[in-house]
Amino acid sequence: MVSRVIPVDDFDLVIFGGTGDLARRKILPGLFRRFLSGQMPETSRVIGAARSEIDSDGYRQMIREAIAEFGGAEAQDADGIEQFVQQLHYIPVDAMGDDGWKELHSLVRFDAINAFYFSVAPSLFGALAERLHTYKIADGDSRIVVEKPFGRDLASAEALNATLAEHFDESQVYRIDHYLGKETVQNLMAVRFGNVLFEPLWNNHYVDHIQITVAETVGVGGRGAYYDKSGAMRDMVQNHLMQLLCLIAMEAPHQFDADAVRDEKLKVIRALQPVDPHHIVRGQYDADGDHPSYRDDAEDPRSHTESFVAMRCEIANWRWAGVPFYMRTGKKLRARTSEIVVVFKDLGHSIFPGDEKRHRNILSIQLQPNEGIQLQVTIKEPGPGGMRLIDVPLDMTFADALGPDADDSPDAYERLIMDVIRGNQTLFMRGDEVEAAWAWTDPIIEGWQARNDVPKHYEQGSSGPEDAMMLLHREGRKWREIRE
Ligand code: NAD
């Protein structure tokens, strides 16, 4: 299969916070890969803009080192790195003051696409937007990229949206949720809306329940005090898990364009029912030998913030009424995995005598560590001995199906940055989506605070608190095992 990389139009990408962790770990190594693939025009420039008082040469050196550390296999390509860094520039800029803005104005080209990546704390978004406007650096065609967290509740998200809306149209704003940039997430839409097979079954007549799991093995480590102000609900559920839920539950958009897709996602969020407090389990990991507990990591022995949450949700519409959507996410769990599982209902009647085992079709969509889709189907066990049935996976793992091309597929950040340059907002969250997600999340968090809810304990390397298992057991179901 021939790889089809189409270069994007010439661009200048300014990265505010270009010396920060995210820029060095994800954004620049991602751009480097796009450069190597031939997607980045030779005349395009990436302009780091941050507080550090370095010059462009100093920045190039910083990014050489970042690519060596975080660039993966491509970091071996010394010639490629040298060519790439020649397209980098740097300007010291103070988001809160006047330093650097005139210089930035004289550097940015107005006859190319220009995009401004706000890879800084959200408290600086307003100051950046205002100065881009005042110094006439951005215009009605510029693109603004903002990172999570987009607010910590509805009020703060509304305030951030209002700040951006003062200077930019919604069509210029790209709110990143990197989960949406994953190959499998888009493939999920291709599978749902590009095949005749699934759509007739994709509803409460045939689907028993759906599980969404995002499990991490890492703890909150060095950023414990920061994490403690958010917790799993704000950090993961309100954005990543809800986005996955939307894609699995939404109606078919009339076409695959940004607003049509986002309209349908928004309808799902609005149809989400308030969650019964008995249908939520929160947890904190315990200490394990030398490994500190969540509360130690958070440096607060009385912290009530959750490092794990599991919940049972319902979507009140014709398609999904009565179908539970179970979501869970947590830190220090058994394995690092992100998976969506659609469990279909039992057959109404089995014609195979003696076959007492329950056979179910299960569609599982893995987002990490390996992206791929599997469908569990029931077949006859090969060989003599009568009609014995077994369940086997039909494997649609991309590495097998697509061969070496699967490795070349861009990672989430690369894809999303190129989408910004192309002006395609389909995989970015719209302001009203983010607000609707907070409107659903806020009462849940407020309920915990009002009840002084204390998270349950769970062992490091486990699947979370026992009560999370019970969430499904008491309804005769069980979670998929957490494994890579
Ligand atoms: P960081 O602290 O490593 O870097 C912050 C950057 O902002 C630095 O380049 C710094 O020079 C710049 N900066 C700070 N104050 C400034 C000012 N007044 N004027 C100009 N520049 C200023 O932060 P980070 O980890 O890179 O995160 C950046 C943003 O991305 C944050 O909003 C964070 O929540 C979000 N984010 C980060 C990650 C990650 O993995 N690091 C993941 C998702 C989202």
Side-chain angles (χ1 to χ4, degrees):
M1 197 182 298
V2 180
S3 168
R4 290 180 302 122
V5 172
I6 302 166
V8 294
D9 291 339
D10 195 13
F11 67 86
D12 279 354
L13 171 65
V14 177
I15 306 175
F16 292 110
T19 58
D21 176 69
L22 182 68
R24 285 181 296 111
R25 246 173 0 96
K26 290 285 181 190
I27 305 173
L28 271 310
L31 281 163
F32 173 53
R33 271 181 44 108
R34 291 296 88 210
F35 168 85
L36 286 183
S37 76
Q39 201 167 22
M40 184 168 154
E42 281 172 17
T43 44
S44 290
R45 297 172 319 168
V46 177
I47 302 166
R51 266 198 311 205
S52 311
E53 292 290 338
I54 51 173
D55 60 11
S56 290
D57 278 340
Y59 191 55
R60 290 180 189 124
Q61 183 53 27
M62 177 187 279
I63 301 310
R64 276 188 199 102
E65 288 165 17
I67 292 174
E69 192 173 352
F70 304 114
E74 285 77 13
Q76 307 302 323
D77 186 346
D79 289 345
I81 295 177
E82 276 322 300
Q83 287 164 25
F84 173 68
V85 297
Q86 295 317 313
Q87 295 185 231
L88 304 184
H89 300 261
Y90 182 82
I91 291 200
V93 164
D94 181 8
M96 304 300 283
D98 295 317
D99 293 348
W101 290 95
K102 286 195 182 126
E103 291 79 357
L104 189 59
H105 179 271
S106 56
L107 194 58
V108 172
R109 294 173 300 162
F110 293 93
D111 55 352
I113 291 167
N114 52 61
F116 300 91
Y117 199 132
F118 290 8
S119 182
V120 294
S123 55
L124 297 179
F125 288 3
L128 289 177
E130 203 178 297
R131 282 167 179 74
L132 282 174
H133 181 77
T134 311
Y135 286 91
K136 299 194 169 35
I137 299 172
D139 58 22
D141 294 326
S142 302
R143 285 141 210 192
I144 306 298
V145 186
V146 294
E147 267 296 335
K148 89 167 204 187
F150 201 84
R152 53 172 284 108
D153 53 22
L154 176 58
S156 53
E158 282 174 341
L160 277 180
N161 277 335
T163 302
L164 293 173
E166 269 179 46
H167 302 294
F168 304 106
D169 188 71
E170 179 64 31
S171 63
Q172 296 180 267
V173 180
Y174 294 74
R175 293 176 195 77
I176 288 212
D177 183 327
H178 71 270
Y179 266 63
L180 293 181
K182 288 183 180 291
E183 184 71 29
T184 316
V185 168
Q186 291 161 79
N187 208 14
L188 171 60
M189 286 191 270
V191 165
R192 278 198 62 194
F193 303 128
N195 292 287
V196 74
L197 279 183
F198 296 106
E199 172 52 27
L201 308 179
W202 212 259
N203 55 50
N204 52 10
H205 297 293
Y206 293 99
V207 174
D208 179 75
H209 72 278
I210 289 175
Q211 301 184 13
I212 301 175
T213 298
V214 176
E216 298 178 280
T217 50
V218 293
V220 296
R223 53 190 283 268
Y226 168 81
Y227 181 91
D228 201 50
K229 297 194 199 87
S230 57
M233 189 73 181
R234 286 192 169 100
D235 191 48
M236 298 296 288
V237 176
Q238 186 276 341
N239 39 64
H240 305 319
L241 278 85
M242 283 185 74
Q243 287 293 322
L244 299 180
L245 177 110
C246 285
L247 293 173
I248 203 95
M250 73 189 207
E251 297 299 316
H254 71 280
Q255 61 183 13
F256 190 63
D257 80 20
D259 273 329
V261 169
R262 298 185 300 177
D263 285 347
E264 295 305 335
K265 281 161 55 193
L266 180 61
K267 285 184 206 161
V268 174
I269 302 175
R270 291 201 171 137
L272 266 172
Q273 293 297 284
V275 184
D276 180 333
H278 296 106
H279 289 159
I280 306 187
V281 178
R282 298 199 305 146
Q284 283 179 339
Y285 54 82
D286 283 332
D288 178 17
D290 291 342
H291 302 286
S293 68
Y294 173 77
R295 288 179 173 194
D296 294 335
D297 278 341
E299 296 164 23
D300 179 356
R302 285 181 306 183
S303 167
H304 284 184
T305 304
E306 73 286 353
S307 59
F308 173 97
V309 65
M311 61 178 72
R312 179 194 197 280
C313 312
E314 286 201 23
I315 298 173
N317 63 19
W318 273 36
R319 187 184 285 270
W320 294 117
V323 178
F325 285 72
Y326 301 100
M327 301 200 278
R328 67 179 161 169
T329 182
K331 304 218 173 264
K332 290 269 188 188
L333 296 179
R334 178 172 295 149
R336 173 174 173 263
T337 179
S338 299
E339 185 182 54
I340 307 170
V341 182
V342 181
V343 181
F344 291 92
K345 290 190 173 171
D346 289 335
L347 277 179
H349 164 73
S350 172
I351 63 166
F352 303 106
D355 182 51
E356 274 145 32
K357 195 167 168 280
R358 178 186 238 188
H359 299 286
R360 279 187 155 180
N361 295 123
I362 297 175
L363 183 72
S364 64
I365 300 136
Q366 282 105 29
L367 308 176
Q368 60 190 25
N370 303 312
E371 298 197 48
I373 300 182
Q374 286 188 340
L375 179 64
Q376 179 176 297
V377 292
T378 303
I379 61 166
K380 175 189 173 296
E381 189 174 346
M387 200 62 167
R388 288 194 309 270
L389 302 185
I390 53 166
D391 298 326
V392 293
L394 270 182
D395 198 332
M396 298 179 255
T397 303
F398 304 135
D400 299 341
L402 304 180
D405 253 18
D407 292 337
D408 283 347
S409 71
D411 91 353
Y413 270 97
E414 296 170 43
R415 180 191 313 279
L416 293 172
I417 295 169
M418 290 299 119
D419 277 2
V420 172
I421 305 301
R422 275 191 286 255
N424 183 350
Q425 289 184 304
T426 311
L427 300 176
F428 297 84
M429 294 179 293
R430 209 168 52 193
D432 52 2
E433 264 183 88
V434 177
E435 289 179 13
W438 281 122
W440 179 77
T441 314
D442 274 4
I444 298 175
I445 297 174
E446 284 158 11
W448 296 335
Q449 285 160 354
R451 293 190 303 276
N452 200 19
D453 188 82
V454 182
K456 313 276 183 212
H457 295 261
Y458 65 94
E459 277 179 32
Q460 297 191 18
S462 71
S463 303
E466 273 300 305
D467 290 27
M469 307 296 133
M470 291 311 296
L471 207 57
L472 273 74
H473 282 183
R474 63 182 179 227
E475 298 181 337
R477 302 186 172 103
K478 67 177 199 232
W479 287 107
R480 289 264 288 194
E481 206 182 307
I482 294 181
R483 60 186 153 97
E484 284 194 3

